[in-house]
Amino acid sequence: MSQIRNIVILTGAGISAESGIDTFRSAGGLWEQHRVEDVATPEAFGRDPNLVLRFYDMRRAAIQEKLPNAAHFALAELDTNWKGNLLIVTQNVDDLHTRAGARRVLHMHGEHLKAWCTSCDVRSYWRGPLLDRPPCPVCQARTLRPDVVWFGEMPYRMGEIYGALREADLFVSIGTSGAVYPAAGFVQNARELGIQTLELNLERSQGSALFHETRLGPATEVVPAWVAEMIK
Ligand code: APR
């Protein structure tokens, strides 16, 4: 790993699982409890906004009770000590990377703790419910929605992500099933760019065959072990 200078790390729901936040596709996961079509598409929001707002109000309240785990803290330590470029691209909408102390974090699917006003297009930090249609803190319109990227919507800051991949020497994927694009395609992009690739996951993902190396185990074990190798 000595020639590694610039790193892109992709994280998914698996890194927050041991903090007590449900993943999406595991047994009993979120998408078994709720139909994607009912809560995670613009069409669902148009059809039944109360159902969608109630779902995200519940998630927003729940994540504020949770704490970062050893995997989040290990990445924060790497972020603090790594002299080269480093970008943590997270698919997660929780704030556990930031609460663990990581700074170079990019939320490609949005954030639970933000509300997006569809009148003035401003995103505001938001901890409370949206179901009772509170006024936008900027324009007072009552048109706030969760700042979460729904299925069929474009993920955020894709240009920055591809730019970081072009500069990277190492791409690491942590706690993601490789089921959702464009994130699931980053390993293919990395291979085409001749970048070293490493997967850290509880079980083999849909993209495992594309990684140079896969290490299986709980994130709280495999991530600190990998970080220890990187900053020794
Ligand atoms: N440690 C490491 N990996 C884990 C752990 C753990 N403790 N627990 C589960 N995993 C792994 C699972 O093996 C699985 O491969 O995390 C992955 C979680 O996969 P998903 O539930 O599909 O979550 P994710 O890949 O983040 O989903 C991608 O889909 O629903 C949309 O927008 C949502 O960002 C999400 C995207």
Side-chain angles (χ1 to χ4, degrees), residues 17-96:
E18 293 162 86
S19 293
I21 298 181
D22 291 334
T23 63
F24 295 93
R25 291 171 188 82
S26 54
L30 264 183
W31 297 151
E32 280 192 6
Q33 301 163 34
H34 305 272
R35 287 176 355 116
V36 164
E37 304 85 280
D38 294 341
V39 294
T41 65
E43 295 74 23
F45 189 56
R47 199 172 45 243
D48 189 345
N50 286 352
L51 177 70
V52 173
L53 292 174
R54 202 174 290 116
F55 171 75
Y56 286 98
D57 283 357
M58 178 192 67
R59 305 284 302 161
R60 188 176 312 107
I63 65 154
Q64 296 179 65
E65 311 286 317
K66 309 298 183 190
L67 298 173
N69 62 51
H72 298 108
F73 286 114
L75 290 187
E77 190 190 356
L78 179 65
D79 182 21
T80 306
N81 295 290
W82 192 256
K83 299 284 177 291
N85 296 347
L86 181 137
L87 185 63
I88 300 169
V89 177
T90 188
Q91 298 169 84
N92 300 344
V93 288
D94 65 55
D95 63 337
L96 299 185

Side-chain angles (χ1 to χ4, degrees), residues 10 25 31 91 108-109 151 155 176-185 206:
L10 174 70
R25 291 171 188 82
W31 297 151
Q91 298 169 84
M108 71 179 289
H109 290 166
F151 288 91
T176 184
S177 59
V180 174
Y181 285 76
Q206 294 181 23

Side-chain angles (χ1 to χ4, degrees), residues 62-223:
I63 65 154
Q64 296 179 65
E65 311 286 317
K66 309 298 183 190
L67 298 173
N69 62 51
H72 298 108
F73 286 114
L75 290 187
E77 190 190 356
L78 179 65
D79 182 21
T80 306
N81 295 290
W82 192 256
K83 299 284 177 291
N85 296 347
L86 181 137
L87 185 63
I88 300 169
V89 177
T90 188
Q91 298 169 84
N92 300 344
V93 288
D94 65 55
D95 63 337
L96 299 185
H97 281 303
T98 304
R99 270 200 272 147
R103 290 292 159 267
R104 295 182 273 184
V105 179
L106 187 160
H107 283 268
M108 71 179 289
H109 290 166
E111 299 174 65
H112 269 318
L113 298 184
K114 283 191 180 162
W116 176 17
C117 178
T118 53
S119 298
C120 70
D121 199 26
V122 171
R123 288 165 171 85
S124 309
Y125 275 97
W126 202 269
R127 290 188 171 279
L130 290 176
L131 184 61
D132 51 357
R133 308 298 194 283
C136 166
V138 177
C139 74
Q140 308 316 313
R142 294 179 179 276
T143 52
L144 295 174
R145 60 159 271 185
D147 184 25
V148 170
V149 175
W150 288 325
F151 288 91
E153 295 183 324
M154 266 307 288
Y156 296 159
R157 300 168 65 184
M158 291 304 295
E160 279 175 71
I161 298 171
Y162 288 127
L165 275 173
R166 279 193 295 277
E167 301 297 318
D169 308 299
L170 175 64
F171 171 70
V172 182
S173 174
I174 303 172
T176 184
S177 59
V180 174
Y181 285 76
F186 293 162
V187 61
Q188 181 72 39
N189 303 127
R191 293 300 301 255
E192 285 158 8
L193 290 162
I195 299 169
Q196 193 71 23
T197 57
L198 171 65
E199 177 179 48
L200 306 175
N201 216 47
L202 191 62
E203 59 203 343
R204 298 184 69 77
S205 70
Q206 294 181 23
S208 283
L210 288 167
F211 286 87
H212 290 98
E213 183 186 357
T214 290
R215 300 181 190 175
L216 299 180
T220 54
E221 292 173 17
V222 290
V223 176

